[in-house]
Amino acid sequence: MARGKKNARRRKAWIFFQDESGVSQRPSIRRTWAPKGETPVLIHAFNWATISVCAALGFRWDGRCCRLFFQTREGSYNSESLIAFLKDLRRHLRGKKAILVWDGLPAHKSKMMKEYLASQRRWLSEERLPGYAPDLNPVETLWGNVKGQEMANKCSQNLDEVVTAVDSGMKRVRKSRTLPFSFLDHAGLSF
């Protein structure tokens, strides 16, 4: 990570931590308050649908600000959909350079992805997280935060309600000046 941080300063590049996660209509069970003797009951459908969420949490090279980009889609993320996500990220960065830090998902290492990344060297470089080390990715803490607040004990009737909950959680994190940096601190990283 230190090498990537030095390269970011030298290139004045954003450092983006990226990860994918799945969310469903099935509620994330969390502790809650209830009147004494009245156990809360969650009623949800047994057959639930899922969506996938891809997020990139970016920090400016000098640590002064951060950005959060995310997308939702039905089905799992694969090389094609991740390349589309990276193209959208490039469009939002408007010519700024970036360092992408992500895990060893097979779609991240596919031939198609390697070819795409090789063609994007002018603005994008890549760093891999060590295997079996999700605690080093601040986006993992982002998932826990959104699932523990907006999605906690939520029995959604359809996927639109799930997407709305994810959107509101991501907007809450975007508005906060300190929360994304606390995710970075939780991963043991800092500027």
Side-chain angles (χ1 to χ4, degrees):
M1 291 303 297
R3 187 185 71 192
K5 199 164 129 180
K6 287 178 185 176
N7 286 339
R9 284 192 189 280
R10 184 176 46 79
R11 296 176 61 207
K12 295 190 181 342
W14 283 80
I15 301 172
F16 279 95
F17 294 89
Q18 188 275 339
D19 196 28
E20 306 83 13
S21 182
V23 291
S24 71
Q25 288 175 272
R26 186 175 178 209
S28 298
I29 308 299
R30 297 294 188 262
R31 186 175 291 193
T32 187
W33 293 96
K36 189 173 184 175
E38 296 179 28
T39 303
V41 177
L42 299 176
I43 301 172
H44 62 89
F46 183 70
N47 295 327
W48 59 84
T50 62
I51 61 167
S52 294
V53 185
C54 182
L57 187 57
F59 299 91
R60 202 169 88 166
W61 61 273
D62 58 2
R64 289 192 178 184
C65 61
C66 62
R67 290 184 178 177
L68 172 62
F69 297 99
F70 75 98
Q71 283 182 350
T72 58
R73 74 183 309 268
E74 290 185 26
S76 298
Y77 274 89
N78 56 21
S79 296
E80 294 91 11
S81 54
L82 285 171
I83 289 171
F85 178 79
L86 292 175
K87 287 179 180 178
D88 286 345
L89 180 64
R90 180 181 184 188
R91 186 172 40 89
H92 285 291
L93 287 177
R94 296 184 182 135
K96 295 180 179 93
K97 296 181 182 195
I99 297 172
L100 181 65
V101 183
W102 58 4
D103 58 18
L105 184 77
H108 297 172
K109 300 186 284 188
S110 71
K111 182 179 179 183
M112 180 187 297
M113 183 60 74
K114 286 179 183 177
E115 289 171 358
Y116 175 75
L117 291 173
S119 71
Q120 302 301 310
R121 293 260 187 250
R122 209 173 92 249
W123 76 277
L124 182 66
S125 61
E126 168 193 35
E127 295 287 335
R128 293 235 185 255
L129 289 168
Y132 304 105
D135 51 321
L136 292 177
N137 192 342
V139 181
E140 295 288 348
T141 312
L142 168 71
W143 298 140
N145 185 276
V146 171
K147 290 179 182 181
Q149 294 213 16
E150 282 75 15
M151 306 207 56
N153 302 325
K154 183 169 183 59
C155 299
S156 302
Q157 297 297 317
N158 54 44
L159 282 179
D160 290 337
E161 289 182 23
V162 175
V163 171
T164 301
V166 169
D167 285 346
S168 66
M170 295 296 189
K171 285 176 185 172
R172 177 181 53 81
V173 172
R174 271 186 185 152
K175 286 180 184 177
S176 173
R177 292 178 178 236
T178 58
L179 203 50
F181 288 101
S182 71
F183 299 157
L184 191 67
D185 288 341
H186 188 269
L189 306 171
S190 63
F191 280 92

